[in-house]
Amino acid sequence: MEYNPQQLEKKWQTFWSENKSFEPSDDTKQEKKYILSMFPYPSGRIHMGHVRNYCLGDAIARYFRKANFNVLHPIGWDSFGMPAENAAIKHKLHPKKWTYENIDYMRDELRALGLSFSQTREFATSDELYTKWEQEFIIKMYEAGLLYRKSTVVNWCEPCHTVLANEQVEEGCCWRCGTPVEQKEMPGYYIAITKYAQELLDDLKTLEGSWPSQVLTMQENWIGRSEGLEFDLELSKDSRFKLDKQFASYKVFTTRPDTIYGISYSALAPEHPIVKYIVENNLLPNDKIEAIKAMQKVSERDRATQDKQGVSLEIDVIHPLTGELIPVWVANFVLASYGGGAVMAVPAHDQRDFEFAKQYSLPIKQVIVGSEGIIENPTEAFTGEGELINSESFTGLKNIKAKKAIIYHFEQNSIGKKQVNFKLRDWGVSRQRYWGAPIPFVHCDSCGLVPEKVENLPIALPEDVEITGHGNPLDTHETWKKCACPKCGKEALRETDTLDTFVQSSWYFLRYATNHKKWEKEGISKKDADYWMDVDQYIGGIEHAILHLLYARFFTKVLNDLGYVNSREPFKRLLTQGMVLKDGAKMSKSKGNVVDPDSIVEEFGADTARLFILFAAPPTKELEWNDSAVEGAYKFIKKFVQRSSNISKEAALNFENIEHSSLNKEEKEARRKVYDALKRANDVFTKTFTFNTLIAGAMEALNALQAQNNELVWAEGYYILTNILEPIIPHTCWELADNLFERKNFNNKIEVKEEVFALDSIVLAVTINGKKRCEVEVSPSASKEEILEIAKKQANKWLEGNEIIKEIVVPNKLVNLVIKG
């Protein structure tokens, strides 16, 4: 049989489509597997990262489908977002047209790879029906107090007239027009993810062993739980007067209460209310005011990479224990979003505080000593453990004990309290752009902020807009923007912000779990979700370790609390695949090292692309593209097809009763290699996902089959190999299995026959004084005495004339003879 990949791949893709071969069953009594790869953004063409992700998921889905599981393996499109608007500006196309044309093209590309996705459960997140249910969830979250509107400082580009995400600010400038970005206070919508911070942290423990430890650590650090002391720093009398008695104190939080006697200054974030008051009322010299304003224009993320900068605010606070006056500064390293935007600074024991103090010649007061004792001229902060000094009644305490003692002292005297803080901030979901899901609220002069009535959903995007890149076209679309208040009926204005696209990807897996026949009537079917959830295997890039996975976990918990689902964690197991590289670098157009998947499929066939991508490296490791390895994959498949001609129809029907004991050595070895590959396959598909080892085992098995001539052994070998390779090279295996076995080997799990692993003989190395001299072949049941007799006879020329003083037999490995001299 000759191998013609284009012909047989088209044949089976047509067959699968016409026969709806990959649709999940409605039979909920059948054991299920939900296999999901992270869905793509419809950028226009798939890349090799897509190929790797979807081939991994497809291999797992096909394995479980053959093992008689009811498999849900869906695909969809994460289709809202800025790239569509940028393309609209560049190509003068409507974002919707650009997006859906890309989806059509990419769907065909994925189909050409033979991926076994459900066709009935496909959707795009920009579909109005998807938006309808998402808007309902947003309204329910608002009613439950989990979504709110507030003013906050954002990145603002005036020429583009839009808010920018941190990722869209490049070196302090707008990524689109290059204009310096301003920090501007604007109203926006926030989801209260912080209410779930502790649960999100605690539930990471339930994922240990099923998720990569690296991902769990990244999420734990992002949530950032810390315990410490919260207390007020009272402003001095003179400082209160300077601030027109508008402020009496401010709160600080510290995880190091043991260092509290070492405070030598306090620092506020540039956005702190006191700092803003001072700037607005010109309470400092002009040069200082300008320096603070410059700080306020820089985003928190960019400040983190800048040199430390500060300005004395010429005010003081009172130390809560000693009564000393402490100078107050504004510093660019203090974040408004953490701990109230104010810190007590202890330069002797915090490196960041130390560097700032050195720069501005502020005092450095050591209050903890280690084995080195008091450090006279420190070059860095002492952050180790030790004993307290210069700390009044706490002097002499070990600093770990002192933390608890000082917190207790603050609480007993009602001047502070133990506090748990998180780095995690509430999720800002407002975006001032067109191509996104409209936030379903109305602004009414009489009623204030009002959610739209559920029966009026979806609030769909108007299509008669022009995307120019300057501002949000929804703002200027009068007929869309003007509406009646859902509460009082008076004229009102629609909210023109759209939702962050992470919202769409935070619940799409629950939409897949709902039977498509119910999509018009409900966003998520609780009954269906009870059957399909949780996702048994999730596959995607490590770059989604924090935001997407954290938001998806959070959304699942919220939807559970709102009564939509019973799941609390969405993904049982997570596989993060490595990047595909070429010439040692990530593939990109700018580097000129992109390999087009379409051209590989066109030249070698989809099965070659699939085999290479799964064979070249373990899935979690980076994969280096190799043209010769692609050709090698093609040659293996070609040989696999051609060698099938060694099997007659009669042999294909009568191989099941092979008498193993009557086979010769080569025939037995071939069977052992085939069944070894089968055994390996079961482990690979359910535990390790090291498809490279499975493919290597199949290649070894084919070589072993070629070393013998028994037609029945050939038939049995192909019966098994086409089964275990079907998830990897499906078109080829369907063709061969159909021709030889009428695909009966795809219907049931093939049992491993342990008889094939029973060896007629074993080979042992013979060493003399630890140096290998020869090998002997013995029966597996041979006694120690028999093995030694054979070994001595075989090694006689090295033993002759020497006295053996020790004889060692290591079972199944070697014989070691120790001679004198």
Side-chain angles (χ1 to χ4, degrees):
M1 177 181 169
E2 283 304 310
Y3 178 49
N4 184 331
Q6 287 73 22
Q7 186 179 343
L8 73 87
E9 287 175 3
K10 187 175 181 181
K11 167 187 171 181
W12 287 109
Q13 286 165 19
T14 302
F15 176 89
W16 295 330
S17 180
E18 290 176 351
N19 288 275
K20 296 183 169 44
S21 301
F22 307 128
E23 296 306 324
S25 167
D26 291 341
D27 180 9
T28 56
K29 292 178 182 175
Q30 191 179 355
E31 193 172 356
K32 67 91 185 179
K33 285 290 177 183
Y34 185 175
I35 312 299
L36 181 62
S37 294
M38 294 179 186
F39 62 172
Y41 178 78
S43 57
R45 299 180 79 87
I46 64 168
H47 52 68
M48 278 300 169
H50 289 132
V51 175
R52 193 177 197 194
N53 186 351
Y54 300 129
C55 285
L56 284 167
D58 194 60
I60 298 166
R62 284 177 176 272
Y63 170 83
F64 283 112
R65 211 177 273 117
K66 286 203 313 300
N68 287 327
F69 283 84
N70 188 12
V71 174
L72 175 59
H73 184 222
I75 190 68
W77 310 93
D78 192 11
S79 51
F80 272 139
M82 281 294 287
E85 293 196 20
N86 291 338
I89 298 164
K90 183 178 178 180
H91 303 296
K92 300 196 183 306
L93 273 175
H94 194 284
K96 185 174 184 178
K97 180 177 172 61
W98 182 84
T99 298
Y100 283 89
E101 284 180 355
N102 286 350
I103 288 173
D104 290 341
Y105 187 86
M106 291 175 69
R107 183 190 297 112
D108 289 341
E109 287 187 299
L110 295 178
R111 193 169 289 162
L113 284 166
L115 301 170
S116 62
F117 292 127
S118 163
Q119 294 176 4
T120 61
R121 304 216 180 188
E122 181 190 331
F123 59 81
T125 57
S126 52
D127 294 346
E128 288 183 11
L129 190 56
Y130 191 81
T131 295
K132 171 184 176 177
W133 300 112
E134 182 166 286
Q135 289 172 338
E136 179 183 303
F137 303 149
I138 290 295
I139 290 168
K140 297 296 183 188
M141 290 170 76
Y142 173 75
E143 291 171 350
L146 291 170
L147 183 136
Y148 60 92
R149 193 168 186 257
K150 72 169 184 178
S151 287
T152 189
V153 175
V154 295
N155 303 311
W156 178 259
C157 176
E158 184 57 37
C160 295
H161 207 68
T162 187
V163 170
L164 301 174
N166 284 336
E167 293 72 24
Q168 295 165 337
V169 179
E170 297 174 350
E171 297 182 355
C173 297
C174 172
W175 68 327
R176 181 185 280 156
C177 71
T179 303
V181 170
E182 302 174 36
Q183 296 297 294
K184 183 175 180 179
E185 189 163 307
M186 285 185 64
Y189 293 85
Y190 290 81
I191 294 178
I193 190 172
T194 51
K195 290 186 176 181
Y196 287 75
Q198 190 62 54
E199 186 182 349
L200 286 165
L201 185 65
D202 291 343
D203 286 354
L204 289 174
K205 292 182 177 64
T206 68
L207 303 173
E208 289 175 1
S210 301
W211 281 36
S213 57
Q214 180 187 5
V215 174
L216 299 178
T217 300
M218 290 167 77
Q219 290 215 2
E220 185 177 339
N221 292 340
W222 187 265
I223 295 166
R225 186 184 193 276
S226 56
E227 290 186 9
L229 172 67
E230 184 181 84
F231 61 96
D232 286 339
L233 281 174
E234 302 284 342
L235 286 158
S236 67
K237 185 178 179 181
D238 289 346
S239 298
R240 288 202 300 273
F241 276 107
K242 184 168 184 174
L243 298 174
D244 304 319
K245 296 184 180 179
Q246 294 299 307
F247 302 91
S249 64
Y250 58 82
K251 289 189 181 302
V252 294
F253 170 79
T254 179
T255 59
R256 294 294 309 272
D258 51 323
T259 67
I260 197 160
Y261 285 92
I263 301 174
S264 64
Y265 66 96
S266 178
L268 304 179
E271 299 82 13
H272 193 280
I274 289 176
V275 178
K276 288 166 75 174
Y277 186 83
I278 288 172
V279 170
E280 288 165 4
N281 292 277
N282 292 305
L283 301 180
L284 287 172
N286 192 55
D287 59 333
K288 286 191 173 184
I289 295 290
E290 291 305 313
I292 294 171
K293 283 182 177 178
M295 259 188 249
Q296 290 173 337
K297 289 180 179 179
V298 181
S299 70
E300 284 189 353
R301 191 180 73 160
D302 288 338
R303 281 184 217 153
T305 61
Q306 289 183 334
D307 292 335
K308 294 183 175 50
Q309 297 173 7
V311 173
S312 169
L313 294 176
E314 300 177 12
I315 57 175
D316 301 297
V317 287
I318 302 166
H319 192 291
L321 299 181
T322 67
E324 295 172 298
L325 289 183
I326 299 165
V328 182
W329 287 62
V330 58
N332 65 345
F333 64 78
V334 184
L335 304 181
S337 59
Y338 182 73
V343 298
M344 65 172 219
V346 185
H349 304 291
D350 182 283
Q351 188 60 26
R352 176 199 61 189
D353 298 347
F354 177 86
E355 291 169 4
F356 189 89
K358 279 287 190 183
Q359 185 168 340
Y360 293 102
S361 301
L362 294 164
I364 298 172
K365 183 180 179 182
Q366 187 174 356
V367 292
I368 298 175
V369 291
S371 56
E372 304 91 340
I374 295 174
I375 304 167
E376 292 298 337
N377 295 299
T379 56
E380 61 182 12
F382 174 70
T383 56
E385 294 182 11
E387 285 187 3
L388 267 63
I389 59 170
N390 302 322
S391 298
E392 296 184 334
S393 62
F394 300 100
T395 296
L397 280 180
K398 295 288 184 184
N399 72 294
I400 300 299
K401 285 187 177 180
K403 286 182 181 182
K404 294 179 181 178
I406 289 171
I407 290 174
Y408 179 77
H409 178 79
F410 268 78
E411 290 185 326
Q412 288 298 105
N413 291 280
S414 302
I415 54 175
K417 62 178 180 178
K418 183 177 180 180
Q419 181 72 27
V420 174
N421 272 0
F422 294 91
K423 287 182 183 176
L424 182 67
R425 302 271 69 86
D426 278 350
W427 174 12
V429 294
S430 298
R431 297 295 179 267
Q432 290 69 37
R433 58 177 180 238
Y434 167 77
W435 192 237
I439 297 177
F441 291 94
V442 167
H443 300 275
C444 175
D445 289 340
S446 300
C447 305
L449 185 67
V450 183
E452 186 55 83
K453 290 180 179 177
V454 170
E455 56 265 31
N456 291 340
L457 303 179
I459 305 304
L461 290 169
E463 294 194 22
D464 55 336
V465 296
E466 183 183 357
I467 312 295
T468 63
H470 298 284
N472 180 357
L474 296 178
D475 263 337
T476 54
H477 197 297
E478 295 301 318
T479 56
W480 182 85
K481 190 176 175 182
K482 289 179 179 176
C483 64
C485 172
K487 195 170 183 180
C488 70
K490 292 179 183 176
E491 187 174 298
L493 295 176
R494 288 203 183 286
E495 175 57 64
T496 58
D497 283 0
T498 54
L499 288 166
D500 177 14
T501 56
F502 275 115
V503 174
Q504 282 92 64
S505 57
S506 294
W507 69 281
Y508 78 109
F509 44 90
L510 291 163
R511 183 63 165 170
Y512 286 144
T514 298
N515 192 312
H516 67 286
K517 297 168 189 172
K518 302 176 183 178
W519 281 1
E520 290 283 346
K521 293 183 178 178
E522 52 188 339
I524 299 168
S525 165
K526 196 170 188 178
K527 180 182 176 185
D528 292 352
D530 280 348
Y531 174 66
W532 286 112
M533 290 296 290
D534 303 331
V535 174
D536 294 283
Q537 184 65 59
Y538 199 33
I539 304 114
I542 190 73
E543 66 272 18
H544 301 294
I546 298 175
L547 294 184
H548 162 59
L549 288 169
L550 187 69
Y551 291 152
R553 294 179 59 224
F554 163 68
F555 237 76
T556 303
K557 295 177 190 301
V558 170
L559 290 170
N560 173 288
D561 288 340
L562 294 176
Y564 286 98
V565 294
N566 285 318
S567 294
R568 297 259 343 148
E569 281 290 337
F571 313 121
K572 283 183 186 174
R573 298 184 70 187
L574 174 68
L575 172 64
T576 53
Q577 92 274 6
M579 288 191 296
V580 181
L581 311 177
K582 190 174 185 205
D583 305 324
K586 182 181 178 181
M587 289 186 184
S588 72
K589 290 179 182 177
S590 61
K591 292 188 177 76
N593 65 346
V594 171
V595 175
D596 180 14
D598 292 356
S599 64
I600 300 298
V601 172
E602 189 176 328
E603 184 176 357
F604 297 105
D607 281 351
T608 293
R610 294 173 64 118
L611 183 69
F612 166 77
I613 213 84
L614 294 175
F615 183 50
T620 57
K621 304 295 184 184
E622 292 178 337
L623 185 157
E624 178 69 35
W625 186 265
N626 184 319
D627 289 330
S628 62
V630 174
E631 292 178 18
Y634 174 77
K635 287 176 182 175
F636 168 75
I637 299 172
K638 186 176 181 181
K639 181 169 75 171
F640 187 52
V641 171
Q642 290 174 340
R643 295 298 184 272
S644 68
S645 59
N646 288 318
I647 306 164
S648 67
K649 203 69 179 174
E650 185 182 353
L653 295 171
N654 296 293
F655 68 84
E656 291 189 6
N657 297 314
I658 295 174
E659 185 63 50
H660 188 71
S661 59
S662 67
L663 301 180
N664 64 33
K665 182 179 178 181
E666 289 75 18
E667 292 164 350
K668 287 179 177 178
E669 177 65 6
R671 288 192 87 202
R672 189 177 69 81
K673 286 287 187 183
V674 166
Y675 277 99
D676 185 58
L678 175 63
K679 203 181 246 187
R680 196 179 301 183
N682 295 335
D683 200 46
V684 165
F685 283 109
T686 58
K687 295 176 186 174
T688 66
F689 307 123
T690 52
F691 295 103
N692 54 316
T693 64
L694 165 59
I695 294 165
M699 290 175 171
E700 289 175 15
L702 183 59
N703 289 336
L705 285 169
Q706 287 179 216
Q708 58 86 49
N709 298 310
N710 188 319
E711 203 175 4
L712 295 178
V713 173
W714 269 105
E716 181 188 43
Y718 267 64
Y719 188 87
I720 293 170
L721 290 178
T722 52
N723 177 290
I724 63 176
L725 287 174
E726 186 272 345
I728 298 164
I729 51 172
H731 308 87
T732 303
C733 290
W734 276 65
E735 181 73 9
L736 294 177
D738 191 57
N739 290 341
L740 296 171
F741 314 111
E742 298 173 349
R743 284 183 279 122
K744 290 177 182 174
N745 56 332
F746 289 175
N747 296 335
N748 296 296
K749 185 177 178 181
I750 302 173
E751 296 300 325
V752 174
K753 293 184 178 179
E754 293 296 336
E755 65 179 22
V756 305
F757 298 107
L759 299 174
D760 293 335
S761 63
I762 55 174
V763 176
L764 306 177
V766 179
T767 63
I768 298 176
N769 287 358
K771 189 173 183 180
K772 184 180 176 181
R773 293 299 187 182
C774 59
E775 290 180 340
V776 293
E777 189 172 349
V778 300
S779 167
S781 60
S783 66
K784 180 179 178 181
E785 290 72 22
E786 289 172 325
I787 292 170
L788 286 169
E789 184 181 344
I790 296 168
K792 289 175 190 176
K793 188 175 180 181
Q794 188 73 19
N796 185 56
K797 69 177 180 179
W798 293 283
L799 297 172
E800 199 169 1
N802 291 295
E803 180 186 352
I804 301 173
I805 57 175
K806 203 167 190 181
E807 300 173 344
I808 303 166
V809 176
V810 180
N812 301 317
K813 285 189 178 179
L814 60 84
V815 176
N816 185 33
L817 303 172
V818 181
I819 59 176
K820 202 170 188 179

